[in-house]
Amino acid sequence: MFKYFLGSSPKWYKMTMITFLVMNVVLYFGLPMVMDAHAAHSALSWLFIGEFIFTLAMALKCYPLQSGGLLAIQIVVLGLTSAKNAYNEVAQNLEVVLLLVFMVAGIYFMKPLLMFIFSKIFTKVKSKVILSLLFVFLSAILSAFLDALTVTAVLISVAVGFYGVYHKIHSSSIDHDHDGVLDRTQLSGDTLEQFRSFLRSLIMHGIVGTALGGVCTLVGEPQNLLIGERLGWDFVEFFLQMAPITIPVLICGMLTTVVLELTGTFGFGAKLPKIAEEIIISYTDEEDKKRSDREKYGLWVQGVSAILLITGLALHLAPVGMIGLALIIVQTAFMGIIEEHALGHSFEEALPFTGLLVVFFVVVAMIHDQHLFSPIIAWALSQDPASQPGLFYVANGVLSAISDNVFVATVYIGDVQQLFLNGDISREQFEKLAIAINTGTNLPSVATPNGQAAFLFLLTSSLAPLINLSYGKMVKMAFPYTIVLGGVGYIMVKLVLS
């Protein structure tokens, strides 16, 4: 049983998970003997959060769905939340679940077009600094009008496709650049590690860009829409209310990109190896020449689908997941992909993460049922009104980094709205706290992969092991951005809202 439990993960990891599962039961019955029941359940709930974050941190040792899922089952069995409340959390976030299932599958069929476009960008833009800025800026703009998870799915598709090209050349016995040396010899060892580092840094720039753009608009992140609805703000008013804080943060974020690339610190700065660039250019030129009429037609279908996708998302013609399903139908119908097994491959990337997200919602339901954040909210609201926006910003940032920014925003905006409806705070104070909650949940939460769904999606994607992107490496690479985004955001909150 021990041999097959959690498969090929290390023995120490298996022992740790068994220890967690046994210890949780012992503490569930033992803690009420030394403290009151409510305090015992709160302490055990915080322990479960720590254990769940551990399973995310070890994502490259064992996919978190199994180990985190066992903890989630135990949470329900021990009564720290109920299956019904966990289901309600999933129901409230159904749009995110549908987005993952259908939009990621829709992007899968668009991969040839994305590879065609980005291979040209990779090989034509010679400056790594400009390329990095391009990734940050495009990700920010797309996330502001579309959706951070959709943009992340595009980034992952591009990087996996680009790595696939490298791997295809690396494992062949062909000399694409005609220099008399087999390409696989030239692309091994240090060249491969440098290529991985190059892709890793670009993806991290892009993923931070989704946070920079997502905070700015009503549709950028799920909690933005929730906050906008509570305040009665439309798209333009939401942007204008957030702009005094979000625009300086965006500018400083892009300056951080330049500094990181020029200094080569925190895992950034790696350039596309020269020999790899030459071989990839030769390979893509050969691919362009031998592209069949069917493949060219496919690119046109994908191009038209991309325009329809952007139009549908920007105008919010339907929930994102439904637009994703329409994208699958249009592309496969017109490209003649009608076999069930051919459709099945497109869902392989997203469904494990969708399962993990549902497990995550069980943990979120536990946090809600045990009122773990209530003391922090009560303390912040007891402070001087002038200092409340800054305190709310910090509290939301810290809690978002350890749990989930959408959940934190939902809890905080709900409590603050109730205070406003009760007449305890003015409309002006309500707006200030709403801005602090939005920026607090969106900016400092880049510190950890569990803070934002887009980051967690990247960590658990098929790309992460290819480019050696672990939980610790993500935290390290996001650290300078966390300091700048969190710090500048806090300064602007204090200047603008106090």
Side-chain angles (χ1 to χ4, degrees), residues 341-357:
H341 72 273
L343 289 168
H345 292 304
S346 65
F347 291 95
E348 288 173 1
E349 175 73 38
L351 285 181
F353 179 70
T354 309
L356 176 61
L357 200 64

Side-chain angles (χ1 to χ4, degrees), residues 13-27 44 47-48 50-55 58 67 71 74 78:
Y13 183 82
K14 296 182 183 186
M15 288 302 299
T16 303
M17 287 309 304
I18 292 169
T19 304
F20 283 165
L21 294 168
V22 173
M23 181 177 67
N24 293 337
V25 175
V26 172
L27 290 174
L44 188 57
L47 182 64
F48 266 111
E51 291 168 356
F52 187 72
I53 291 172
F54 170 80
T55 66
M58 295 293 117
S67 45
L71 293 173
Q74 200 173 44
L78 294 177

Side-chain angles (χ1 to χ4, degrees), residues 84-411:
K84 184 180 179 182
N85 290 350
Y87 174 80
N88 289 337
E89 283 293 336
V90 176
Q92 287 172 20
N93 291 278
L94 181 62
E95 197 167 329
V96 178
V97 174
L98 289 177
L99 183 157
L100 283 167
V101 173
F102 294 125
M103 185 58 78
V104 176
I107 297 297
Y108 173 88
F109 292 110
M110 215 176 269
K111 205 175 278 186
L113 176 69
L114 294 172
M115 281 307 302
F116 177 75
I117 294 168
F118 277 88
S119 61
K120 298 289 182 278
I121 294 172
F122 273 122
T123 51
K124 294 288 188 288
V125 180
K126 302 297 181 185
S127 167
K128 175 71 187 303
V129 175
I130 293 172
L131 192 59
S132 301
L133 281 173
L134 202 61
F135 263 66
V136 173
F137 186 70
L138 285 176
S139 297
I141 293 295
L142 288 171
S143 294
F145 291 97
L146 307 181
D147 173 86
L149 275 171
T150 305
V151 176
T152 306
V154 171
L155 289 172
I156 290 169
S157 274
V158 168
V160 168
F162 209 59
Y163 187 88
V165 169
Y166 190 100
H167 182 70
K168 190 174 180 181
I169 302 167
H170 181 236
S171 56
S172 70
S173 301
I174 303 171
D175 180 20
H176 287 284
D177 57 347
H178 311 297
D179 63 353
V181 183
L182 287 181
D183 294 338
R184 69 179 177 192
T185 308
Q186 295 170 298
L187 296 182
S188 299
D190 292 342
T191 309
L192 176 58
E193 285 310 309
Q194 190 180 338
F195 179 73
R196 280 176 172 154
S197 184
F198 167 77
L199 273 186
R200 198 163 55 232
S201 61
L202 280 181
I203 290 300
M204 282 303 294
H205 286 314
I207 206 84
V208 170
T210 65
L212 286 168
V215 69
C216 294
T217 65
L218 188 67
V219 298
E221 293 279 352
Q223 69 266 32
N224 299 18
L225 199 57
L226 177 73
I227 291 167
E229 284 174 359
R230 300 286 177 96
L231 273 293
W233 290 338
D234 61 16
F235 189 93
V236 175
E237 189 174 1
F238 186 95
F239 174 77
L240 293 175
Q241 290 280 2
M242 299 297 161
I245 297 162
T246 56
I247 299 304
V249 169
L250 175 62
I251 293 166
C252 292
M254 293 185 74
L255 288 173
T256 306
T257 303
V258 175
V259 172
L260 288 172
E261 283 302 324
L262 291 177
T263 58
T265 49
F266 293 96
F268 293 96
K271 294 177 173 60
L272 179 62
K274 191 70 182 168
I275 186 67
E277 183 186 344
E278 290 170 1
I279 291 169
I280 289 168
I281 288 171
S282 302
Y283 174 82
T284 51
D285 285 346
E286 286 175 26
E287 288 293 298
D288 287 346
K289 286 172 188 171
K290 66 181 185 183
R291 188 172 283 114
S292 67
D293 289 340
R294 179 173 182 167
E295 287 169 334
K296 288 175 184 174
Y297 167 73
L299 289 178
W300 278 105
V301 172
Q302 292 155 35
V304 172
S305 300
I307 294 167
L308 293 174
L309 168 67
I310 292 166
T311 305
L313 289 171
L315 299 177
H316 304 283
L317 301 178
V320 180
M322 304 306 287
I323 294 173
L325 179 58
L327 185 69
I328 295 170
I329 294 166
V330 169
Q331 287 185 105
T332 53
F334 284 95
M335 290 194 294
I337 302 169
I338 55 171
E339 296 83 12
E340 186 182 358
H341 72 273
L343 289 168
H345 292 304
S346 65
F347 291 95
E348 288 173 1
E349 175 73 38
L351 285 181
F353 179 70
T354 309
L356 176 61
L357 200 64
V358 172
V359 165
F360 188 61
F361 289 141
V362 176
V363 179
V364 170
M366 176 193 71
I367 293 170
H368 191 262
D369 286 0
Q370 299 303 321
H371 308 290
L372 297 186
F373 295 166
S374 297
I376 303 167
I377 297 173
W379 172 78
L381 287 169
S382 69
Q383 304 302 308
D384 175 48
S387 63
Q388 283 179 7
L391 291 172
F392 265 67
Y393 177 88
V394 173
N396 276 267
V398 172
L399 294 174
S400 293
I402 62 171
S403 60
D404 166 59
N405 59 359
V406 178
F407 168 71
V408 173
T410 305
V411 172

